[in-house]
Amino acid sequence: MKILLTGAGGQIGHDLIGTLTASGHEVVSTDLAPRPPSHAHAQSKSWQRLDVTDPAATKAMFEKIQPEMVFHLAAILSASGEKNPTLAYDVNQTGTWNVLEAARLTGVKRMIFTSSIAVFGPPPSGPLPDPTPDDVALHPTTMYGVTKVAGELLCAYYTKKHGVDCRGVRFPGLISAAMPGGGSSDYALFMYVDAVRKGGYDAFARADTRIPLMYMPDGVRALIEVAMADREKLSRSIYNIAAFSPRADEIGQSVQRAIPEAKFTFSPDPRRQAILDSWPKSLDDSAAQRDWGWKPVYDLDGMTDDLIPRVRRMLELGAILSTH
Ligand code: AKB
């Protein structure tokens, strides 16, 4: 199948490209930035520059490529979005509108939307239920979350009104062997990266911070499973998906199983901590389990065991690339 990715240079694109190409799909990667110098990104034969905030360029790209399916990954994450809400609105809100419009106008049949736990926030009536189900009142506290709520609603609207079959998942904080980029959940990944390269990490979150997290191989598999599911099986457009929800200090303990000398301290940054505290502690993903058989493979320690050697390789490769 010919599949186009927007925002392919980001953390999800890094792993999604490899999985899609390994399954025999033809992947056309688009991003504002040039192709990153990683082995994973090299697997996409075609890398095209695309600014999703430009409606004419987005439509022209879809006309040229004629993809059968689009994975819309381009986004500014929560912490970066609070530093530059205008950019977050442009990329996440206008960009999603442009991608859906281009899909409608050029006859793309299926679009996959990547939402996130950032759509949630504490309702005025009290804290979020734990675990948090799919259908609670959405009170996001960040521009990223606001635009993801709107994107979810647009996704359902285009499915109903225009026959662009749009579906997707709400990702927990995703962890993988890639450098993070502007998310509030990045403390979790830095606990791995800095344990390997510096022997420890001073986290910008409290030790008792607990949010839903997921290892990227499960995240990519979820995205592909929901993308390929029969429409008749789907009772909704966007699904909660869950894996594990450790406290920050429990992540530290898991890393110390593999790197006993690693030291972790916790110095919460008020802005990012407030975002983390506004998110669910854990998610109810029973609808995804029921409708398309969702089930994570990795728990926290399973992820740690798989991830640490990958982080080592990533850092070695980065060091090699930066000296050439
Ligand atoms: C972020 O931290 O902004 C993202 C997310 C959980 O949506 N990783």
Side-chain angles (χ1 to χ4, degrees):
M1 188 184 292
K2 193 187 252 194
I3 299 179
L4 184 143
L5 270 49
T6 70
Q11 197 194 359
I12 299 174
H14 179 274
D15 286 40
L16 182 60
I17 289 170
T19 309
L20 289 174
T21 47
S23 316
H25 297 292
E26 182 187 345
V27 177
V28 177
S29 298
T30 73
D31 202 292
L32 192 55
R35 187 197 293 264
S38 76
H39 171 68
H41 289 109
Q43 291 175 49
S44 175
K45 285 207 187 84
S46 170
W47 193 277
Q48 316 257 346
R49 186 187 182 280
L50 177 63
D51 176 358
V52 293
T53 68
D54 179 341
T58 306
K59 178 164 169 268
M61 181 65 73
F62 283 24
E63 262 161 0
K64 182 172 88 173
I65 304 297
Q66 301 199 332
E68 293 162 82
M69 191 184 282
V70 171
F71 284 76
H72 178 39
L73 311 176
I76 303 294
L77 298 185
S78 58
S80 302
E82 290 314 282
K83 285 196 191 125
N84 192 344
T86 308
L87 179 67
Y89 189 89
D90 285 350
V91 175
N92 302 356
Q93 181 77 61
T94 310
T96 297
W97 167 265
N98 289 342
V99 168
L100 280 163
E101 268 298 271
R104 175 179 78 82
L105 293 168
T106 65
V108 173
K109 293 277 173 293
R110 195 169 290 186
M111 163 154 153
I112 316 306
F113 184 65
T114 45
S115 190
S116 135
I117 50 170
V119 297
F120 298 110
S125 53
L128 282 164
D130 184 21
T132 301
D134 289 291
D135 289 315
V136 289
L138 299 176
H139 293 275
T141 60
T142 61
M143 181 57 80
Y144 172 67
V146 168
T147 59
K148 286 293 176 189
V149 172
E152 289 190 359
L153 296 173
L154 283 169
C155 185
Y157 179 90
Y158 271 72
T159 302
K160 212 181 259 172
K161 295 270 171 153
H162 298 308
V164 177
D165 179 348
C166 183
R167 69 276 285 278
V169 293
R170 286 178 181 146
F171 276 126
L174 287 169
I175 303 185
S176 64
M179 289 310 270
S184 306
S185 62
D186 290 355
Y187 69 93
L189 176 50
F190 277 123
M191 292 179 84
Y192 290 87
V193 174
D194 281 4
V196 172
R197 68 177 171 182
K198 297 182 184 163
Y201 176 56
D202 183 29
F204 61 74
R206 278 191 324 267
D208 67 351
T209 303
R210 191 159 75 87
I211 62 163
L213 295 172
M214 183 175 284
Y215 191 31
M216 186 64 88
D218 274 337
V220 162
R221 190 169 48 78
L223 206 53
I224 294 175
E225 283 177 8
V226 80
M228 302 301 172
D230 290 342
R231 183 81 232 176
E232 307 79 66
K233 289 201 176 146
L234 303 184
S235 58
R236 51 190 306 115
S237 299
I238 307 290
Y239 287 85
N240 283 358
I241 51 168
F244 45 86
S245 284
R247 290 165 42 118
D249 54 3
E250 289 168 345
I251 303 173
Q253 286 155 18
S254 182
V255 175
Q256 282 163 339
R257 286 170 51 256
I259 310 176
E261 65 282 8
K263 300 248 174 320
F264 296 103
T265 48
F266 300 90
S267 310
D269 163 52
R271 286 201 196 145
R272 281 178 290 184
Q273 186 67 57
I275 295 173
L276 293 165
D277 288 341
S278 76
W279 289 348
K281 298 202 179 316
S282 67
L283 291 179
D284 172 352
D285 62 358
S286 46
Q289 292 178 30
R290 184 194 61 225
D291 287 4
W292 44 277
W294 162 245
K295 198 171 180 324
V297 168
Y298 290 91
D299 62 11
L300 175 61
D301 287 341
M303 173 180 78
T304 301
D305 294 343
D306 193 73
L307 180 59
I308 287 181
R310 290 179 193 277
V311 169
R312 283 209 174 96
R313 276 201 297 281
M314 173 186 79
L315 294 173
E316 278 160 19
L317 194 66
I320 292 165
L321 289 170
S322 65
T323 56
H324 284 72

